[in-house]
Amino acid sequence: MNTIWILDDEPGMRWVLEKALDKAGWPVRSFADGIALKEALDALEGTADPRMPAVLVSDIRMPGPDGLSVLAAVRARLPDLPVIMMTAYTDLDTTVAAFEQGAFDYLAKPFDIQSAVELIARAAQSAPSRAGAVQENQTDAWAVLGEAEMAPSQSPAMQDVFRAIGRLSQSGATVLITGESGTGKELVARALHRHSRRADGPFVAVNAAAIPRDLLEAELFGHERGAFTGAVQSRRGRFEEADGGTLFLDEIGDMPAELQTRLLRVLAEGAFYRVGGARPVRADVRIVAATHQPLEERVRAGLFRADLFHRLNVIRLRLPPLRERREDIESLARHFLARSAAELGVPVRRPDASALEALRRFDYPGNIRQLENICQWLTVMAPSAEVGLEDLPPEILGTGAAVVPLQAEAGPEPDDATRPAPGTEAAAAAPRSDWRAALEAEALGRLARRETGVMDALQRDFERALLRAGLRQAGGRRGEAALRLGIGRNTLTRKCRELGLDEPDADQAFGD
């Protein structure tokens, strides 16, 4: 069995991986920096040494040569060697760069150690089939997107989006982006284009909901002179303008039925007719579509063609709402506050601890766009650079229960007649509120604000509260927490990952 090589400047991370791999029966060799690894490669190059690695697991941020430089050197010498990159600083550009330079996969710290071992085993098994997978003319640097929505994220859901963009960078597959309004669907579409082989071509965006239905056909496919009243000259449509590049069809769920038929034909045949035209026009276009609507439900209701849905739904990316990535709210808010201050030429507003906590707890029905608007409001309206809780806008201060997690609902204090005597066990165990009533009040408030996905959001909050309580009671030991909650340990680990919980225990690896 060939050796697994580990490159990380953190001794604790190397130790955890060494122990886990040794337990799984893998011989391991560790390196503290890229220089030591380079020397080992020099010694083995051109040999059939049995110590030749089966997989390289490398950190990205290290003193000296970073992980991406090491990856490029390894791919040049050993193009068939699977390389898994890992880092605690997960951002779109490094994720895409890792995949573009031939990484097998990407591990975002903290990660479940058992999942990491399984990934390493899959990488080792895949090595023979990876011959020729290295890409030529790899770029060494990547342009920063410059938008906070694509900034480094601690959210597992956003890391999955980054990973998907990296995997899709060399693919021309059609992509369907779903997510609530304001989650940054167009930014992801632009990222897909920028990191694709079509990056030198045009990126053309069309919002199907913003153009009158009687003009949308001409907007998409163009028209010939005299095709209709006011058509005094021929005009190219958006499909032709996007030739060689990417066409982003936003709010595709609102496209009229008759145009859905035309779009389906274009996707199937690659050709179309201008309005009033007699000659077919061909355009080499990659389609990226987006919608905030549940297309499956619209298909069942007869409002969206099933065959068009399946044409578009080749690769689906779901963008999480901001309430599912609360760990990113502080960094996003600081970015927007800095940008607003620069635009207005005023000092940057700095939220204090209470204001930041309120910002993190707010549900943001308008998602990232709403957070940006709030930061602009604070830049204009806050009386000083130091922003306190009382300086926040009314929609945050006036929502009451909406900004308080369910497990923290206090409810009314009991009166003297029902209050247990201080110091007694009854006083310590007495519930401060009826959580069922609090849950119902929370649901009523969200429904009154016409929010969508209320059941899914509250169910996630409910599960998150239970898992947090179980882990806290068990001192962070997942096996014991799972036993007390009455679920399997694997189920608890999976749900912690899905819900973005960060509860360390002996079976998790943490670094950087």
Side-chain angles (χ1 to χ4, degrees):
M1 182 179 291
N2 284 21
T3 306
I4 306 298
W5 282 14
I6 300 170
L7 172 59
D8 198 305
D9 62 311
E10 289 290 333
M13 176 59 68
R14 297 197 302 271
W15 183 86
V16 168
L17 284 171
E18 287 168 1
K19 293 300 180 184
L21 289 168
D22 180 69
K23 184 178 179 181
W26 289 96
V28 180
R29 186 177 180 183
S30 295
F31 304 88
D33 56 53
I35 297 174
L37 183 136
K38 179 180 180 301
E39 293 173 352
L41 284 174
D42 290 341
L44 293 178
E45 190 170 13
T47 73
D49 196 303
R51 294 171 299 167
M52 186 69 73
V55 179
L56 170 63
V57 184
S58 174
D59 195 18
I60 287 184
R61 294 200 178 189
M62 298 177 292
D66 65 12
L68 292 179
S69 300
V70 171
L71 174 60
V74 170
R75 301 302 293 157
R77 297 182 179 204
L78 301 172
D80 298 337
L81 174 63
V83 180
I84 297 172
M85 307 304 295
M86 55 182 179
T87 186
Y89 301 92
T90 309
D91 63 85
L92 173 63
D93 293 317
T94 54
T95 304
V96 173
F99 281 112
E100 281 286 319
Q101 294 188 35
F104 178 81
D105 211 327
Y106 194 100
L107 279 171
K109 301 176 183 177
F111 50 78
D112 181 79
I113 191 63
Q114 186 57 41
S115 299
V117 171
E118 292 171 359
L119 175 62
I120 292 169
R122 289 200 305 271
Q125 294 169 1
S126 76
S129 65
R130 290 176 55 84
V134 63
Q135 299 293 332
E136 297 179 358
N137 301 320
Q138 301 293 350
T139 56
D140 295 325
W142 295 84
V144 177
L145 290 179
E147 293 291 344
E149 292 85 342
M150 297 290 103
S153 172
Q154 296 300 312
S155 163
M158 284 306 298
Q159 291 165 12
D160 288 342
V161 172
F162 293 167
R163 184 180 287 107
I165 293 173
R167 291 191 182 281
L168 288 167
S169 61
Q170 298 300 309
S171 169
T174 300
V175 179
L176 177 63
I177 305 171
T178 62
E180 297 177 8
S181 295
T183 50
K185 295 188 287 294
E186 183 169 345
L187 284 169
V188 171
R190 289 184 181 276
L192 284 165
H193 172 73
R194 181 172 297 189
H195 294 290
S196 75
R197 294 174 178 174
R198 297 174 175 264
D200 293 334
F203 177 87
V204 178
V206 181
N207 189 320
I211 301 173
R213 59 187 302 152
D214 54 340
L215 298 180
L216 185 56
E217 182 178 15
E219 185 74 19
L220 287 173
F221 305 112
H223 60 78
E224 298 291 354
R225 180 180 178 182
F228 49 83
T229 303
V232 295
Q233 60 183 9
S234 298
R235 180 181 178 277
R236 298 168 67 207
R238 297 302 179 92
F239 266 92
E240 289 179 78
E241 291 176 357
D243 188 27
T246 301
L247 179 62
F248 175 51
L249 299 175
D250 199 6
E251 300 302 350
I252 191 72
D254 293 309
M255 179 172 283
E258 59 272 18
L259 278 186
Q260 293 177 28
T261 303
R262 285 209 62 182
L263 178 59
L264 178 64
R265 181 174 293 274
V266 174
L267 296 179
E269 300 178 0
F272 57 90
Y273 291 87
R274 290 179 179 174
V275 177
R279 293 183 306 165
V281 179
R282 290 194 171 273
D284 176 21
V285 174
R286 182 193 192 178
I287 299 295
V288 177
T291 182
H292 73 281
Q293 302 194 45
L295 286 187
E296 291 92 340
E297 293 182 12
R298 292 183 70 80
V299 168
R300 287 192 292 270
L303 300 174
F304 199 85
R305 291 185 61 110
D307 43 7
L308 177 58
F309 169 70
H310 294 302
R311 280 277 182 181
L312 296 172
N313 193 37
V314 178
I315 304 291
R316 185 186 295 205
L317 295 181
R318 175 188 176 269
L319 294 191
L322 191 53
R323 62 181 174 273
E324 292 182 14
R325 45 183 298 209
R326 296 184 189 274
E327 55 269 61
D328 294 334
I329 289 175
E330 180 176 348
S331 60
L332 288 168
R334 294 191 187 280
H335 169 86
F336 287 135
L337 288 169
R339 190 166 71 181
S340 297
E343 291 172 354
L344 296 175
V346 299
V348 178
R349 294 330 192 222
R350 299 183 301 274
D352 65 15
S354 61
L356 280 174
E357 184 62 19
L359 288 172
R360 279 192 291 264
R361 290 181 175 181
F362 186 61
D363 273 344
Y364 297 99
N367 291 295
I368 294 173
R369 189 180 299 126
Q370 184 177 11
L371 175 60
E372 181 178 12
N373 293 341
I374 288 170
C375 292
Q376 291 175 344
W377 188 95
L378 288 173
T379 302
V380 174
M381 301 297 292
S384 66
E386 192 74 21
V387 176
L389 183 63
E390 68 279 2
D391 298 321
L392 295 179
E395 62 262 37
I396 293 182
L397 296 178
T399 50
V403 302
V404 180
L406 291 179
Q407 66 269 28
E409 290 284 354
E413 289 289 335
D415 57 31
D416 291 337
T418 60
R419 189 190 306 273
T424 65
E425 292 184 3
R432 299 184 64 193
S433 68
D434 182 348
W435 65 269
R436 296 175 185 83
L439 177 61
E440 184 175 353
E442 175 76 8
L444 287 171
R446 296 190 185 201
L447 293 169
R449 295 192 300 276
R450 298 184 180 277
E451 293 183 21
T452 58
V454 173
M455 179 170 286
D456 180 61
L458 289 181
Q459 183 173 337
R460 290 176 65 87
D461 285 345
F462 182 78
E463 290 185 347
R464 189 180 288 111
L466 284 177
L467 292 174
R468 243 192 226 121
L471 288 163
R472 186 176 296 117
Q473 184 68 26
R477 294 181 294 275
R478 288 191 171 175
E480 183 177 343
L483 184 64
R484 294 190 180 198
L485 290 170
I487 60 176
R489 190 189 185 287
N490 289 341
T491 300
L492 184 142
T493 299
R494 174 176 56 80
K495 285 187 174 293
C496 283
R497 188 183 305 118
E498 291 173 353
L499 297 172
L501 292 177
D502 188 11
E503 296 286 349
D505 73 345
D507 290 336
Q508 271 195 317
F510 293 84
D512 284 11

